[in-house]
Amino acid sequence: MTENTFTMEQFEEKINKIIFEKENLAITNFKNNKLNFVHYTNANTAYKIIKNEEIWLRNVRGMNDYREIDYGRSQLIDVFKNITNRNKLEQLIKEIDPNKSYIDFCNICNQYIKDIEARTYITCLSEHPSSEDNYGRLSMWRAYGHPTGIAMIISPNFLDIELSFQNNTFLTTPVIYSDKAFIDIIPKIINPFGSADMIYYFKQMNITHFFHILSRFIYIYIMSIKHPGFKEECEWRIILSPFFKRDEQYIDKNIVESDVKTDFGHPEKIYKINLNKFNFISNDSSRLLKKIIIGPSENADIIKDAFIHLFNSKGINNAENLIQISDIPLR
């Protein structure tokens, strides 16, 4: 097959394989290691998630530590301070369009990231190994367990849920704990994009399309990088990020709906995933919510009774079997 016999759909598939190589490999490893997900939160929020069968995605600007985004940005700046990396990108740009340069890419990338940040919404999960199945993770109880935390254990079947809306990225991606992530990542995307068939494709689409594709890739990685000191969190992020503002109209409101909530001390726009569409809580063994662990608390038995009542109201048989109390010492 020569470079000009690929269909546009085949080119898009090749691009997705390049861009989402990290996610695809991580998902394979996750399933091979027979891990579950866990969502640590406070008891009130966990109760609302289960009762309403919805989980909220907040704007990235409302993250616990917004400086995490700056951490990813600083790594990106550092990697292109390296003249070799900059020259490789410059050469690729010139092969696609001799009239454009690295500076043109920087201008578009900076504007794209600034623009898309306002419509990027996330929620967070962590990896849950079987070794933590009885007690949870002490560091997470300390971070999210005051006054009482809940660990919601979620099936890896969650990774099989496909949410695909026109010109949107709805992505479940692992966090990279590194202080040199872009040093490793940038060559892995520039090299395959420099193949003859990819250059042919981007010439047909125009250089602006290439700039947006590369900017999109870079932004996802900025959203996925954290300081190595947080490595024990083993975090994954669910990211909703429409490609352009006009693409918000394509989000399926039966699955993901926008709303405004005041639970954060101020009004804030959020998106809600309708978990009822994905067998979140039921008597079926394939349900997403496998069980909950109640964190260390003087009121653990009272909280357990409340969740038993909630599960019973959902028609769940043997609700007690879905609830565990962690007796891990918290100090």
Side-chain angles (χ1 to χ4, degrees):
M1 184 177 286
T2 60
E3 63 184 23
N4 61 354
T5 59
F6 282 101
T7 66
M8 288 301 173
E9 290 77 13
Q10 288 171 319
F11 276 120
E12 290 171 4
E13 184 178 346
K14 286 169 67 71
I15 290 171
N16 284 335
K17 284 183 179 179
I18 294 169
I19 291 178
F20 300 119
E21 179 184 15
K22 169 177 69 78
E23 284 74 22
N24 292 334
L25 180 60
I27 287 171
T28 298
N29 290 337
F30 190 96
K31 291 182 176 180
N32 288 344
N33 291 326
K34 298 181 178 179
L35 298 171
N36 288 306
F37 283 115
V38 58
H39 181 62
Y40 283 90
T41 187
N42 62 64
N44 286 338
T45 298
Y47 192 91
K48 290 178 182 178
I49 291 172
I50 297 170
K51 181 179 180 180
N52 299 325
E53 297 188 48
E54 64 184 28
I55 192 165
W56 297 357
L57 286 77
R58 295 184 65 189
N59 188 270
V60 65
R61 295 170 296 180
M63 291 172 63
N64 288 342
D65 189 350
Y66 184 57
R67 288 173 297 176
E68 293 175 11
I69 307 302
D70 291 332
Y71 184 72
R73 281 200 194 97
S74 66
Q75 286 201 37
L76 176 64
I77 292 169
D78 288 344
V79 78
F80 282 119
K81 285 180 180 177
N82 182 302
I83 193 66
T84 301
N85 293 327
R86 188 183 301 184
N87 286 343
K88 283 183 178 179
L89 180 55
E90 178 83 15
Q91 181 181 355
L92 177 55
I93 292 169
K94 292 293 185 184
E95 289 190 58
I96 298 170
D97 187 336
N99 298 316
K100 297 297 181 180
S101 69
Y102 168 77
I103 299 301
D104 295 309
F105 167 71
C106 288
N107 291 336
I108 285 183
C109 186
N110 289 335
Q111 181 56 45
Y112 179 81
I113 290 174
K114 181 180 178 181
D115 180 52
I116 199 172
E117 206 169 74
R119 58 178 181 278
T120 299
Y121 294 79
I122 69 168
T123 193
C124 301
L125 305 171
S126 289
E127 294 180 2
H128 181 76
S130 58
S131 59
E132 297 176 355
D133 213 32
N134 291 326
Y135 312 110
R137 190 178 309 160
L138 179 58
S139 62
M140 299 299 276
W141 290 133
R142 284 174 171 165
Y144 300 100
H146 298 294
T148 300
I150 298 289
M152 304 174 63
I153 313 304
I154 298 171
S155 166
N157 293 340
F158 177 82
L159 290 169
D160 298 327
I161 293 175
E162 293 188 10
L163 294 174
S164 180
F165 313 126
Q166 184 176 342
N167 293 335
N168 286 269
T169 288
F170 209 123
L171 183 68
T172 303
T173 183
V175 167
I176 304 170
Y177 299 96
S178 173
D179 54 7
K180 58 174 186 175
F182 274 113
I183 294 175
D184 299 326
I185 292 162
I186 291 297
K188 289 183 179 179
I189 190 169
I190 290 180
N191 291 341
F193 276 177
S195 66
D197 57 343
M198 284 287 99
I199 290 174
Y200 167 81
Y201 168 77
F202 287 121
K203 281 183 175 180
Q204 303 305 305
M205 296 300 294
N206 71 47
I207 190 67
T208 302
H209 182 70
F210 170 72
F211 285 165
H212 277 119
I213 291 291
L214 187 55
S215 298
R216 184 71 159 185
F217 170 84
I218 285 171
Y219 182 66
I220 290 171
Y221 267 88
I222 287 175
M223 288 297 305
S224 304
I225 295 172
K226 290 184 76 168
H227 191 282
F230 293 98
K231 188 174 183 179
E232 67 177 16
E233 291 181 352
C234 302
E235 183 181 339
W236 288 58
R237 288 178 173 167
I238 307 170
I239 303 173
L240 171 64
S241 187
F243 207 96
F244 298 106
K245 184 172 179 56
R246 64 178 179 268
D247 297 325
E248 292 178 339
Q249 65 182 304
Y250 299 118
I251 298 175
D252 187 341
K253 295 178 176 59
N254 291 317
I255 299 175
V256 182
E257 184 179 8
S258 63
D259 200 352
V260 172
K261 297 293 182 181
T262 59
D263 299 52
F264 318 108
H266 57 267
E268 184 175 320
K269 179 183 175 181
I270 56 104
Y271 277 92
K272 305 181 292 187
I273 302 177
N274 184 354
L275 297 173
N276 181 256
K277 299 289 185 179
F278 307 108
N279 189 27
F280 177 66
I281 178 71
S282 71
N283 289 308
D284 190 325
S285 60
S286 65
R287 66 178 178 266
L288 293 183
L289 182 63
K290 300 185 73 172
K291 69 173 185 178
I292 66 169
I293 304 174
I294 299 174
S297 169
E298 295 179 356
N299 299 314
D301 289 329
I302 294 174
I303 294 168
K304 179 179 180 179
D305 288 342
F307 276 95
I308 288 175
H309 182 273
L310 175 60
F311 286 144
N312 286 337
S313 72
K314 294 283 183 180
I316 303 302
N317 301 328
N318 302 313
E320 295 88 346
N321 296 337
L322 271 67
I323 306 171
Q324 191 165 343
I325 295 177
S326 173
D327 60 358
I328 191 170
L330 181 61
R331 58 183 182 275

